[in-house]
Each structure stands twice: as structure tokens, then as C-alpha cells.
Amino acid sequence: MAERASNQQPGVGAKEPAADGGTPSQRSLAGRSTAGLGVLLGALGVVYGDIGTSPLYALKTVFTLDRSLTPDAPDVFGVISWVFWSIILIVSVKYVIFILRADNEGEGGVMALAALARRALLTISERRAATVLALGALGAALFYGDSVITPAISVLSAVEGLEVISPTLEVVVLPASAVILTLLFAIQRWGTGRVGAVFGPIMLIWFACLGVAGAAEVIRHPNVLAGLSPTYAALFVVDHPMIAFIAMGAVVLSITGAEALYADMGHFGRAPIRRAWFGIVFPALTLNYLGQGALILRAPERRDNPFFLLLPDWAQLPMVVLATVATVIASQSVISGAFSVSREAMRLGFLPHLSIRQTSRFQYGQIYAPGVNWGLFVAVLVVVFAFGSSTNLAAAYGVAVTGTFMITTTLFLVVARARWRWTTWRLALFGFVFGSIELTFFTANLAKVTHGGWLTLLIAIILFTVLLTWRRGAELVTARRIEREGPLPEFIDTLHATNIPWVPGTAVFPHPNKETTPLALRANVAHYHVRHERIVIITGRTANVPHIPWEQRLTIDDLGDPNDGIIHIDALFGFQDATDFPEVLRHAAAHPHAKGINLDLDQISYFVSKITLRCTRQPGMAIWRKRLFIALAHNAASHAEFLHLPEERTIVLSAEVAV
């Protein structure tokens, strides 16, 4: 089992893969009827909030971004056609049909896809494997940028509906948005399962209202259905290519949330996400966009806010309230996605250990990451007050989303070729169709960089630097730590040869493997010139199933000598099992393979290796990156707390490692 010395818990190794076809998390969901209404509503409440609230600002932005776009039939039909076919191709075909197939043990998102691509390429070329992993890190950084913008623009766009009712309410928009966002991030601790159970029925009402409001206008003006023809999208580009190019920068707002859809796959599974999309979300979005297009044709002066003006006066205030709730839910998809992406980044060695709380007894993907949650909250509030309106934020939106789209397409092609053995013509067709559309969107959004798009790029650059710095720093520290640890068999032979004195009691050393020597064990022997009567090295691993019975959890190895008092315990935990090392020892004391060692539970001391990093001018990284790495290491979660070690019997022994 591979070790990542500085970014793993002591004694806690990588997650154990499933042993048979399909992941345990997927099998557990299947056993609980993943197609059931409850799971489908949960997915509706978490996964589709982002793309489901795009009608609030997508067409509004298209027709206000460039006033040279006229509200006549050719332009309106052209925009509607582009929106409709973008949703069809990018969301329905690319993500829902193809990308959702590429799960990494039940998890989705760009980092999970990068892990699949890396695994497929490792036997071919280590350099290519490293390249796709770095590409995944860039995609994750862009997704984090999207996760900051989405809650801000979604909530602002809904609360700004108050201005439609009365312009005097403009002063309420920012403080009300801040309060709503605070409540949103505060409830994340409940977990996506509970949040989805509450949000799902609300989103069902939201999509019903979208469909009814749009259908009412379409019935009055059925000619707008002509906009569904792809010929209008082509004519729109041919007739005025520059205007169409600028409009593409706003049309992409209609498909934001597609990447979050994929990142949230681990929370609910593939089947409920697909059923919710084709059965509820896609029809409602199509009807609403058609309705807004019909309204703009009938009353061009309403193009400044076609969503709310699509409704009769009596329904506008209730819709503002519902839209506000829906946009709070919209933010949920990217927040949950950020949790999943962060855990994948940790598993791949791009982030230090963060506190992760499992919020479901059945589903591995449902988690809460407090540090990620509150970091996003601060960033979102700063963006809300800095930009002040959804219109200003729309300029910042799109660059990160389209960049992530292209990275996902690239990584998917790698997986399809190396893992699924797609033929060349299938790869070329997929790459041409989706790559050309996404490249157009990305290029169109580059024009926004000077008008706010710089924000998401800045966030992405900072986080990409952090991800690469941690991984490179961890590689350097791991290599130097392993060098200092040395092989465990050689160390045990040395203990036998020197006849070092024994002292009563049991010394427990959490350690990621049984191949190298825990630094705390070396330090203990070097400083005190004694060894404990019983020495226990524990390695913990986490499997992708909820629980593992104790009779299947422990593997005990006497390391070649049953009489020297030294054993290694390999403990396999389910994701709902507490990583409680004292409890491991209580069960190990009764294990048949440990009877000869006579574990005395009343005389146990825990020795934790603490790595003290020292910045040097050794080659490997620039000095400023080494200092960043050390700062990140200082803020990693507590190892002793994670392992449930009793504070009064835990000794932390430091060992200095040069970076």
C-alpha cells in the first residue's frame, strides 16, 4: 500500500477499492431502491439547483449584454435555438449520458475523472499519467472558482426580483443576500441527504412553476417553437457572427451547473440524476426558455427581466420568494460538489488532511467538510459585496465553467481510449462535437476577463498553485521521511542484536504501512535507550462500504517473530466506522493471533510521529512554494483527534524533515 507521509493520517492509508464489480456505495444504494421517489427528490434538491435557476439570468444577460442584439424573430429564435441545443448537447448528451459513466468508485467530478485517466495511463507512461492528474487539478481549481461565483450570482439574481416589485427595495438586496447565504452555509452540517430531503420538494414546485409559466406564454405564441430548430442557431451565426460570438458568452449561463451535476454524483448515484433530468428538469427548462423568448417577441421592453415579467403581477412577489429559496438550493449543488472534489484531491495527494464528516449511514459520497464550507462562505460574501449585483457578476461567470468543460472532455477522451478502448472515429467525433462547442464558449468568455472574468481566473490560479505545491511538497517530504525511517525489518533486527533493555507496558505507533519504521519508534529507542515490552504498529485503511464487522476488520502480523513482543495490526474501517485506534486495541487483545503478546490495555501509551518541516535551499521547489507548503501543513487536521487517541496517554515525538 502506497504511503503519502505528510498528507495522510498516521496509520491511515488510502481508501480500499471495491473487490467486485460496481462499488459498494453503488450496491448499497441499489439495495435501497435508488430509483425511489425519496432519492430522486433528494437528487433534485441538491444536484439541479444550479442549472435549474439559470432561467433567472441567462436570457436576461444575453439581451442586455450587447444592445446590438435586437428582440426580433431571427435574433430571438437564434438565441433560443443556441440555448436549447447547448442544453441538449452539453448537458443531456455529454454529461448525463456519457460523463456520468465515468465514476471513480462511485465518486464523480473532474478530480475523480483525472484519477481514472491516471490509472489507465500508468502502465503506458508515467509522464502522461502525471500530466492528466495536473490537468484534473486545474479543472478542480476552476470548479472552486465556479463554486464561489454560483452562490453569489444565484442569490443576488433572485433577491433582485424585489426591484421589479418596487425600485425602493434596492437597498435591501445586499443585506438580504448576505443573511440568506449565511443561513445556507450554516445548514451544510446537516449533510446533503437531509438537505436534499428538505430541498427536493421545493425544487419540484420550482420546476413545475418554470414549466407552467413558460407553457402559458408558449400557448399564446406557439410560433416561438420554431426556435427549437438548429437551423436558426446556424443562421444567427451566419447573419451577424460578431454579435453571435458575444452572445455565446451569455448563452453559456444556461448550462452552468452541468459540471456540478457530475461532481455531485457520489451523493446520490447515477440513476436518480438521469431520471430527474429527463423526467423533470429538462422539460421545465425548455418550456421556460421558450416562454421567455415568446415574451421578448411580444413585448421587447420586457427583455431587461423576462423571467419575472413572464408572470402576472399577482404572482411576482410569491415567485420572488420561491426564486430566492430556489437559488439558495442552487448554491447547494456547487457546495456539495466542492466537498466531493476536495476529498478526491486529498485522496490524490493534492490537499493536506482536512476534517471530513460522513453525514450518511449508507452513502459514502455524502460528506461535510467544515473547512471547505466556511472558506467558501467567506469568499462568497466578499464577492457579493465587491460586485454588488448579478449583472456585474455575470461578467465574471463563464470563464471557469467553460474551462472546466474542456478539461472534462479531454480527460474523458483519455479514459474512453485507454480504459474503454474506444475506436479512433468515436474519439474524433466526440472530441469534435463537444470540443468545438466548448472552445467557442470559452473563447467568447475570454472577452469577459477584463470585466470581471479575472476573478474566477485569479481564484483558479491561486488554488491550482496550492494544489500543485502540496503534492510536490508531499512527494519531497515522503521521499526524505522514508529515507529517515528505513526498513522496519532491519530496525527490528537491530533491536534483537543490541539486546536493548525492555520496560513494562505497551507502546502503540500509528503508521501508514509495515514496510518502514515509525519515526516515533526510532526516536523513542534513540533518546531513551529502551524499548517497551510490547510494541504495536497500527495501520488503518478505509473501505467504500458503510460498516465492516470486527471479525473481518483486523489482520495481525507478528512480523516474523512471535516472541519478540512486536506486532503489526492492519485495521480496515467502513466509512461510517470511527477510526478509533483504542477500540482497535480492545478488539485486538481478544484476537487469536495476539494472544501470545498479552496486550495490557491498562498500560498503553500512544506515540505519534510529528513531522516538523524546515525550509532549506535544497532543490525541488522554489523557496516561496516551500513556505506555502509548510503553512498548509501547519493547518492540517489533528492526527491524534482523528484517531481518537486519549490526550493523557499520547506522546508526540517530533522529527525534523528538510524541505
Side-chain angles (χ1 to χ4, degrees):
M1 182 181 61
E3 173 200 8
R4 293 191 196 106
S6 57
N7 70 316
Q8 278 187 342
Q9 299 289 1
V12 178
K15 183 169 70 65
E16 188 74 3
D20 57 0
T23 68
S25 61
Q26 290 169 333
R27 294 195 303 273
S28 66
L29 273 179
R32 298 175 63 241
S33 183
T34 42
L37 180 62
V39 180
L40 187 143
L41 283 177
L44 199 65
V46 171
V47 175
Y48 287 113
D50 188 1
I51 197 168
T53 53
S54 294
L56 278 165
Y57 48 78
L59 285 193
K60 167 187 170 182
T61 304
V62 172
F63 283 95
T64 57
L65 188 65
D66 187 350
R67 288 292 177 175
S68 57
L69 189 64
T70 57
D72 57 11
D75 285 3
V76 172
F77 288 173
V79 170
I80 293 296
S81 183
W82 263 107
V83 168
F84 176 73
W85 285 100
S86 296
I87 294 174
I88 284 281
L89 291 172
I90 302 299
V91 186
S92 297
V93 178
K94 177 190 163 182
Y95 275 95
V96 177
I97 294 177
F98 285 104
I99 300 295
L100 286 185
R101 292 178 56 199
D103 69 282
N104 184 28
E105 298 175 21
E107 292 283 358
V110 67
M111 287 300 289
L113 189 58
L116 282 178
R118 172 180 176 268
R119 200 176 304 154
L121 288 175
L122 270 176
T123 56
I124 301 172
S125 168
E126 289 190 9
R127 178 174 293 182
R128 291 182 187 176
T131 300
V132 299
L133 207 55
L135 197 59
L138 178 58
L142 289 168
F143 183 79
Y144 283 124
D146 182 27
S147 301
V148 172
I149 300 297
T150 294
I153 192 173
S154 297
V155 173
L156 275 173
S157 62
V159 180
E160 284 168 355
L162 293 171
E163 299 175 26
V164 176
I165 299 168
S166 174
T168 59
L169 294 175
E170 180 182 357
V171 295
V172 179
V173 171
L174 284 180
S177 299
V179 170
I180 291 167
L181 286 165
T182 302
L183 293 174
L184 169 66
F185 282 94
I187 67 171
Q188 294 305 312
R189 67 186 67 188
W190 294 356
T192 49
R194 293 182 183 176
V195 170
V198 174
F199 285 175
I202 299 173
M203 288 306 295
L204 186 61
I205 295 171
W206 168 256
F207 285 116
C209 291
L210 287 186
V212 170
E217 190 68 29
V218 172
I219 290 171
R220 293 191 196 99
H221 303 279
N223 61 317
V224 75
L225 292 171
L228 298 181
S229 170
T231 56
Y232 281 101
L235 289 173
F236 182 56
V237 174
V238 172
D239 290 344
H240 26 241
M242 284 307 299
I243 295 175
F245 182 74
I246 295 171
M248 290 302 98
V251 167
V252 74
L253 297 177
S254 64
I255 55 174
T256 57
E259 186 65 33
L261 175 158
Y262 177 42
D264 285 332
M265 180 170 62
H267 292 265
F268 294 98
R270 184 184 301 121
I273 291 175
R274 283 178 171 165
R275 288 188 171 94
W277 172 255
F278 288 113
I280 299 171
V281 182
F282 177 56
L285 290 177
T286 301
L287 284 171
N288 196 264
Y289 283 123
L290 285 170
Q292 289 189 50
L295 176 68
I296 293 171
L297 283 173
R298 177 171 64 84
E301 69 279 3
R302 297 192 177 189
R303 62 178 173 169
D304 288 341
N305 205 327
F307 179 82
F308 286 108
L309 294 174
L310 189 63
L311 302 161
D313 293 342
W314 62 266
Q316 287 178 2
L317 182 57
M319 196 61 170
V320 169
V321 175
L322 180 59
T324 302
V325 177
T327 53
V328 169
I329 299 170
S331 307
Q332 183 65 50
S333 61
V334 291
I335 295 171
S336 301
F339 294 163
S340 297
V341 168
S342 297
R343 180 160 67 179
E344 283 296 310
M346 286 167 49
R347 289 169 59 184
L348 292 171
F350 283 100
L351 281 177
H353 175 75
L354 303 173
S355 177
I356 298 287
R357 200 176 80 204
Q358 200 72 40
T359 60
S360 169
R361 291 181 299 167
F362 304 101
Q363 180 64 359
Y364 176 75
Q366 292 186 11
I367 57 173
Y368 169 59
V372 176
N373 184 63
W374 295 112
L376 279 178
F377 170 67
V378 172
V380 169
L381 276 192
V382 169
V383 166
V384 165
F385 285 101
F387 281 77
S389 74
S390 61
T391 302
N392 293 337
L393 267 173
Y397 215 17
V399 179
V401 175
T402 52
T404 310
F405 284 171
M406 292 194 300
I407 290 172
T408 300
T409 297
T410 303
L411 293 174
F412 180 83
L413 289 173
V414 173
V415 171
R417 180 62 172 177
R419 192 180 180 91
W420 300 334
R421 306 302 178 190
W422 274 23
T423 58
T424 302
W425 74 265
R426 290 183 71 187
L427 293 171
L429 180 62
F430 188 95
F432 174 76
V433 172
F434 300 111
S436 57
I437 296 172
E438 290 165 356
L439 182 60
T440 301
F441 281 140
F442 180 74
T443 308
N445 275 277
L446 287 179
K448 297 181 180 181
V449 170
T450 57
H451 300 286
W454 58 267
L455 176 65
T456 48
L457 290 180
L458 178 63
I459 294 171
I461 289 169
I462 292 172
L463 289 172
F464 185 57
T465 302
V466 167
L467 295 173
L468 290 189
T469 296
W470 180 262
R471 181 171 176 83
R472 178 56 181 157
E475 289 173 349
L476 293 174
V477 169
T478 298
R480 289 163 191 169
R481 174 175 171 168
I482 290 175
E483 184 180 345
R484 291 195 58 178
E485 288 172 342
L488 180 60
E490 290 183 11
F491 181 78
I492 293 175
D493 290 343
T494 302
L495 287 182
H496 294 164
T498 55
N499 293 319
I500 192 167
W502 292 29
V503 295
T506 300
V508 178
F509 299 88
H511 194 60
N513 60 66
K514 65 177 181 180
E515 283 74 41
T516 60
T517 310
L519 287 177
L521 176 56
R522 280 193 177 277
N524 204 19
V525 172
H527 289 292
Y528 301 111
H529 307 292
V530 295
R531 55 150 289 184
H532 284 77
E533 186 179 6
R534 292 170 292 276
I535 296 174
V536 180
I537 301 170
I538 305 182
T539 296
R541 294 175 295 132
T542 303
N544 205 5
V545 292
H547 296 286
I548 293 178
W550 277 105
E551 58 269 19
Q552 301 174 19
R553 189 176 298 184
L554 304 183
T555 303
I556 297 180
D557 184 356
D558 60 19
L559 300 175
D561 189 340
N563 302 313
D564 66 355
I566 304 174
I567 63 170
H568 175 268
I569 300 175
D570 186 89
L572 183 62
F573 299 93
F575 62 76
Q576 268 294 324
D577 299 324
T579 50
D580 189 332
F581 275 21
E583 187 67 18
V584 167
L585 292 171
R586 280 189 282 274
H587 283 270
H591 197 281
H593 293 164
K595 285 182 178 177
I597 198 169
N598 188 27
L599 286 173
D600 187 348
L601 299 178
D602 295 324
Q603 297 186 49
I604 290 180
S605 298
Y606 298 89
F607 294 86
V608 177
S609 305
K610 180 183 178 181
I611 301 299
T612 301
L613 301 174
R614 179 169 55 88
C615 185
T616 69
R617 295 192 175 275
Q618 292 185 33
M621 276 199 307
I623 293 293
W624 67 268
R625 291 184 69 195
K626 291 182 179 181
R627 289 173 178 161
L628 173 60
F629 173 75
I630 292 171
L632 292 170
H634 285 164
N635 287 284
S638 167
H639 294 157
E641 181 180 344
F642 178 76
L643 301 176
H644 297 259
L645 305 184
E647 187 176 346
E648 68 278 5
R649 285 192 287 163
T650 300
I651 298 96
V652 178
L653 296 177
S654 295
E656 187 179 87
V657 173
V659 181

